[in-house]
Amino acid sequence: ARVIASVRRSAVAMGAPAAWTQRITPTTTGIALLPSRTCWTKTPAVEPWWSEDSPGTPMQSAPFCEGLWGWGEFPTPEVPEPAEGDNHVRVSIYNIGGPMTAVLGKTTNKEFPLIPHVGVRINGREHFFSDHVENRASVVMDQMMPPDQYPQVTFDLGVSEVDDAEIDAWLKTAEAKFAPENYDLWKRNCNHFAQDFAEFLLPGTGFPAPLMTPVLDFTDSMLDNLPEWRRAMGDVFMNQLSRTVVVSWGRVLRNEKERKAEALGLDKGK
């Protein structure tokens, strides 16, 4: 697998962020000002970086897109992920909340568009933080996280020139920071891991802030609409509860991911 990855990488002379990541900016117009969006976040919507006059551009959408970024659909990545993987950095945002999204909203007096989980793909594997720093084959994650159960969108951030050894070394270092006992809903969750890893793979751009900040704002401003006394209590309670849920969720799904990988004849990952 590493030989294949090296061959693929040699076809690209130099890693480079996707051009659109250089053009994306926030906006304070349009849907960003609508109460249906601003009731849960102070982060501006994004300014379109694509041409709306190009009807042939393939688009992707998920129910949470409008509430998260101010637009209902976004361009589909131009380069599909091949089965064997490549050195494009692809970031997927999933809604893992299901019915719990509305329950959490009532608890915090907000209408959240999703409960986000972010995974970063490179070289045919998706990396994320569950109850530990984890990676699985992309094809396994496609089966584990189907769009009909977990609404999702994916962005191709560009080509990374970071090699396998450097990736392994970074992930090894990240294991200490992103350990089960260090999980923190506000400062160290799966979304923070994705932000750090994307920045490592594509220094200077990573996952562009106009897209990443609203994802992080889900936790950063979660308790803003509560009275001060409830906010103080919620800060401790929500962090303890989320840590318990995430660790339990990671352990329950681990066996299923390994069974999927084994059935496909793939490395089980870790």
Side-chain angles (χ1 to χ4, degrees), residues 21-258:
T21 64
Q22 314 295 310
R23 300 194 301 267
I24 184 170
T25 58
T27 182
T28 55
T29 62
I31 195 170
L33 302 179
L34 294 179
S36 61
R37 182 173 190 277
T38 56
C39 66
W40 81 273
T41 180
K42 299 181 179 68
T43 305
V46 298
E47 190 72 30
W49 63 85
W50 63 95
S51 173
E52 295 184 88
D53 299 325
S54 303
T57 302
M59 304 294 282
Q60 59 178 328
S61 64
F64 60 77
C65 286
E66 190 170 289
L68 191 60
W69 297 302
W71 297 91
E73 57 182 14
F74 292 86
T76 300
E78 294 182 8
V79 181
E81 183 181 16
E84 71 277 13
D86 58 16
N87 55 348
H88 283 246
V89 180
R90 297 176 178 86
V91 171
S92 293
I93 297 88
Y94 305 92
N95 180 5
I96 61 172
M100 288 302 298
T101 305
V103 173
L104 180 62
K106 290 180 179 179
T107 303
T108 58
N109 196 28
K110 287 196 173 187
E111 294 182 20
F112 296 112
L114 81 168
I115 295 179
H117 169 74
V118 183
V120 180
R121 295 188 179 191
I122 186 169
N123 296 336
R125 304 193 72 80
E126 181 166 327
H127 301 263
F128 53 97
F129 177 37
S130 56
D131 61 327
H132 65 294
V133 175
E134 189 171 351
N135 74 85
R136 304 287 171 181
S138 296
V139 292
V140 171
M141 295 306 297
D142 288 341
Q143 292 193 16
M144 290 296 303
M145 307 287 282
D148 59 330
Q149 296 181 37
Y150 301 97
Q152 58 195 258
V153 292
T154 298
F155 298 98
D156 185 342
L157 305 185
V159 174
S160 177
E161 59 183 355
V162 179
D163 64 31
D164 291 329
E166 292 171 311
I167 291 174
D168 289 345
W170 188 92
L171 292 171
K172 185 67 176 177
T173 300
E175 288 178 355
K177 177 180 179 181
F178 294 96
E181 61 273 17
N182 293 332
Y183 181 91
D184 189 301
L185 178 64
W186 320 114
K187 301 175 182 178
R188 197 169 294 155
N189 60 41
C190 64
N191 305 319
H192 296 95
F193 169 82
Q195 181 184 42
D196 288 0
F197 190 39
E199 174 64 29
F200 163 73
L201 295 171
L202 289 167
T205 57
F207 191 29
L211 289 175
M212 189 69 210
T213 303
V215 177
L216 296 175
D217 200 36
F218 166 76
T219 50
D220 291 350
S221 66
M222 181 183 290
L223 306 179
D224 285 0
N225 284 359
L226 297 178
E228 184 61 36
W229 67 272
R230 284 191 60 193
R231 195 180 307 172
M233 293 177 60
D235 185 68
V236 176
F237 173 74
M238 292 296 292
N239 195 38
Q240 292 177 338
L241 177 63
S242 62
R243 180 184 301 171
T244 301
V245 170
V246 166
V247 170
S248 299
W249 179 71
R251 289 173 179 168
V252 168
L253 290 184
R254 185 184 309 164
N255 291 338
E256 179 62 20
K257 292 170 187 171
E258 291 178 354

